[in-house]
């Protein structure tokens, strides 16, 4: 038995069906924000159980919307379908064309979106599905222009000026990013002027303007390296979440879906030492820790969908056993094959929740042969999350269109998460 064996056994609860989530639902209580993570962007069990918890939060606790680590325009099309639009959710999800397409265009998300559509229609609800991320610069610009031409033609010139500033780069963020470093090609002033004009308008056009501003800043900062681009992205997602909660009104509650490296509290990992924030740490600061529940995921071995390089063909890859001394190795030895951990108060936490342990994180770019040294984040588990779902063996997510490749987006910092 591992030295943490008795501690793990004392708080592990077998996870067989959705009813086993009761203890976690009780722990969430009246929290305003529940962030549900994943240890990869391509694992079936993470999507399946994240959906199961979210269904219960919407149906039983009245949560208002789901906000995901995805692009605003793509998710806006899905949102229209779950509110009863003529298109089907799976059709909207197939419209996710930016690599990695499988991250949201998969059968697991389609199943959830179909459930959400039926729930809204049957209960007279308007629970939404929104994107938090910052990448859709050109698509957001086009949506702004389309909206303004119909609703406010007087503002079209300012938007066109911003759009034309980006035109020479042919929708290639690499080209724009490098141009800002070596020549005087920055579009920041045009974007800021447009954003000022559009703030406080229709939510969709306002958010698209925020995306354009955030993306311009993100791509410009990526070339310099360091934590700046990571923080721009997570602060953008944090601000978008706050904007959505305001839009839904008093008493609104949000479920967030993102990678563990965004959901978990940066202060419980080496991310904080590197100067990084996360949407989890920002949410605890903004709303108070008692109003935020952070839920992590992990597994020991299995298969995953990922690419070997940014923009390369997706593959079903093996996930090797967790490395020696890792959280994954400990839970493999001591926890049930599927288990739920809801963490006790700080004073009552066992050592495995307070000792720093390496915890695996797999991005959309993954090389299994490097797993033993390249994919682990030192973590104080009990501070990083409020609860943790464990799966000893996992399987790859089921993509809707696995062979579409679009490598125009620059790799996220770090490692595609």
């Amino acid at each position: 038995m591992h030295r943490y064996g008795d501690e793990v056994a004392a708080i592990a609860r077998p996870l067989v069906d959705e009813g086993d989530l009761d203890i976690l639902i009780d722990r969430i209580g009246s929290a305003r924000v529940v962030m549900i993570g994943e240890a990869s962007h391509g694992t079936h069990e993470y999507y399946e159980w994240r959906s199961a918890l979210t269904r219960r939060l919407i149906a039983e606790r009245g949560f208002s919307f789901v906000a995901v680590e995805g692009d605003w325009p793509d998710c806006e099309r899905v949102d229209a379908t779950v509110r009863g639009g003529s298109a089907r959710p799976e059709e909207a999800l197939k419209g996710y064309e930016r690599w990695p397409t499988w991250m949201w265009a998969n059968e697991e998300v389609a199943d959830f979106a179909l459930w959400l559509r039926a729930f809204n229609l049957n209960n007279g609800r308007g629970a939404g599905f929104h994107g938090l991320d910052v990448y859709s610069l050109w698509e957001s610009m086009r949506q702004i222009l389309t909206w303004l031409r119909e609703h406010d033609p007087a503002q079209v010139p300012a938007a066109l000026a911003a759009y034309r500033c980006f035109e020479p780069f042919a929708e290639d963020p690499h080209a724009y990013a490098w141009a800002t470093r070596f020549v005087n090609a920055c579009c920041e002033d045009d974007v800021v002027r447009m954003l000022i004009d559009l703030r406080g308008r229709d939510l969709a056009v306002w958010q698209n303007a925020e995306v354009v501003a955030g993306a311009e800043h993100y791509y410009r900062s990526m070339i310099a390296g360091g934590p700046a681009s990571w923080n721009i992205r997570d602060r953008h997602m944090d601000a978008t979440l706050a904007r959505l909660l305001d839009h839904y009104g008093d008493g609104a509650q949000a479920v967030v879906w993102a990678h563990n490296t965004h959901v978990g509290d940066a202060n419980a990992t080496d991310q904080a030492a590197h100067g990084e924030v996360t949407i989890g740490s920002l949410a605890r600061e903004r709303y108070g820790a008692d109003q935020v529940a952070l839920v992590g995921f992990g597994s020991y071995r299995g298969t995953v969908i990922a690419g070997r390089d940014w923009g390369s063909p997706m593959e079903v890859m093996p996930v090797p056993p967790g490395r020696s001394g890792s959280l994954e190795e400990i839970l493999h030895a001591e926890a049930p094959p599927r288990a739920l951990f809801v963490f006790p108060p700080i004073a009552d936490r066992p050592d495995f929740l307070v000792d720093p342990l390496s915890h695996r994180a797999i991005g959309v770019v993954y090389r299994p042969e490097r797993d033993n040294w390249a994919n682990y984040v030192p973590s104080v588990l009990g501070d990083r999350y409020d609860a943790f779902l464990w799966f000893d063996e996992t399987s790859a997510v089921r993509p809707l269109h696995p062979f579409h490749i679009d490598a125009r987006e620059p790799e996220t910092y770090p490692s595609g998460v």
Side-chain angles (χ1 to χ4, degrees):
M1 176 180 288
H2 197 280
R3 74 180 183 91
Y4 296 118
D6 289 340
E7 299 175 355
V8 170
I11 65 170
R13 298 291 180 269
L15 193 58
V16 178
D17 58 40
E18 290 187 24
D20 296 321
L21 296 171
D22 284 352
I23 185 176
L24 178 52
I25 299 290
D26 290 342
R27 164 62 181 81
I28 289 168
S30 60
R32 191 177 185 193
V33 175
V34 177
M35 296 191 172
I36 314 175
E38 56 184 355
S40 84
H41 285 313
T43 297
H44 166 77
E45 286 76 9
Y46 302 157
Y47 283 76
E48 178 185 45
W49 282 90
R50 186 165 59 183
S51 294
L53 176 55
T54 304
R55 288 195 299 267
R56 292 198 58 183
L57 291 173
I58 292 172
E60 299 172 24
R61 297 297 178 93
F63 273 66
S64 312
F65 62 90
V66 181
V68 308
E69 187 188 336
D71 292 337
W72 178 268
D74 286 336
C75 293
E76 195 175 19
R77 290 190 289 271
V78 177
D79 183 63
T81 71
V82 302
R83 295 175 186 274
S86 58
R88 302 287 292 174
E90 59 269 32
E91 295 169 5
L93 289 165
K94 286 179 181 178
Y96 285 69
E97 296 182 344
R98 182 178 62 79
W99 194 93
T101 57
W102 71 86
M103 186 170 159
W104 300 113
N106 59 61
E107 292 184 22
E108 290 80 357
V109 175
D111 288 343
F112 172 79
L114 284 168
W115 175 87
L116 185 56
R117 175 186 174 95
F119 176 83
N120 282 337
L121 292 174
N122 292 335
N123 295 277
R125 290 276 301 279
F129 187 93
H130 305 287
L132 296 175
D133 225 328
V134 75
Y135 294 122
S136 58
L137 193 159
W138 279 274
E139 186 170 0
S140 288
M141 280 295 314
R142 287 191 289 270
Q143 291 207 359
I144 289 167
L145 286 166
T146 298
W147 189 91
L148 288 175
R149 283 173 178 139
E150 181 177 351
H151 296 94
D152 193 353
Q155 297 296 333
V156 169
L160 274 174
Y163 185 80
R164 286 171 178 159
C165 184
F166 290 112
E167 269 188 321
F169 307 102
E171 301 196 17
D172 183 348
H174 285 284
Y176 175 70
W178 283 106
T180 64
R181 188 165 177 83
F182 294 111
V183 299
N184 184 22
C186 180
C187 297
E188 180 182 13
D189 291 344
D190 296 289
V191 168
V192 169
R193 281 193 293 270
M194 180 188 70
L195 178 57
I196 290 170
D197 289 339
L198 295 177
R199 274 186 172 147
R201 307 292 290 274
D202 169 87
L203 175 64
V205 74
W206 180 13
Q207 181 58 32
N208 276 311
E210 294 282 359
V211 169
V212 173
E216 189 279 332
H217 193 191
Y218 174 82
Y219 294 136
R220 187 158 36 87
S221 69
M222 275 194 64
I223 300 302
S229 59
W230 175 278
N231 289 346
I232 289 167
R233 187 174 169 220
D234 274 54
R235 290 188 185 280
H236 172 88
M237 291 195 282
D238 169 68
T240 301
L241 177 62
R243 202 171 298 120
L244 284 165
L245 284 165
D246 288 344
H247 173 74
Y248 276 82
D250 292 342
Q253 295 170 284
V255 178
V256 174
W257 293 359
H259 198 278
N260 284 346
T261 49
H262 296 292
V263 164
D265 191 327
N267 299 301
T269 73
D270 62 351
Q271 290 178 273
H274 295 153
E276 295 174 12
V277 297
T278 61
I279 53 174
S281 61
L282 293 170
R284 282 178 168 175
E285 292 171 10
R286 184 186 288 267
Y287 306 110
D290 62 328
Q291 289 296 302
V292 177
L294 308 180
V295 182
F297 279 69
S299 68
Y300 180 68
R301 61 185 167 202
T303 57
V304 67
I305 291 282
R308 295 188 65 82
D309 297 289
W310 193 262
S312 65
M314 63 176 298
E315 301 177 35
V316 176
M317 299 182 182
V319 176
R323 76 182 186 189
S324 177
S326 66
L327 170 71
E328 287 73 16
E329 184 202 39
I330 293 165
L331 297 186
H332 168 67
E334 306 298 344
R338 293 187 173 193
L340 169 63
F341 297 84
V342 176
F343 302 156
I346 293 174
D348 300 326
R349 287 180 185 168
D351 288 346
F352 91 96
L353 294 182
V354 298
D355 290 346
L357 298 170
S358 58
H359 174 20
R360 181 157 51 195
I362 296 173
V364 291
V365 175
Y366 182 52
R367 296 197 176 194
E369 67 273 15
R370 300 179 181 178
D371 183 88
N372 198 45
W373 56 269
N375 291 90
Y376 286 81
V377 179
S379 304
V380 176
L381 197 68
D383 292 337
R384 189 173 183 184
Y385 314 112
D386 297 296
F388 192 76
L389 277 72
W390 168 252
F391 305 91
D392 192 70
E393 187 161 357
T394 51
S395 55
V397 76
R398 301 166 296 175
L400 293 177
H401 51 179
F403 300 113
H404 184 89
I405 303 299
D406 186 342
R408 290 181 296 182
E409 294 296 335
E411 182 170 0
T412 58
Y413 172 87
S415 67
V417 295

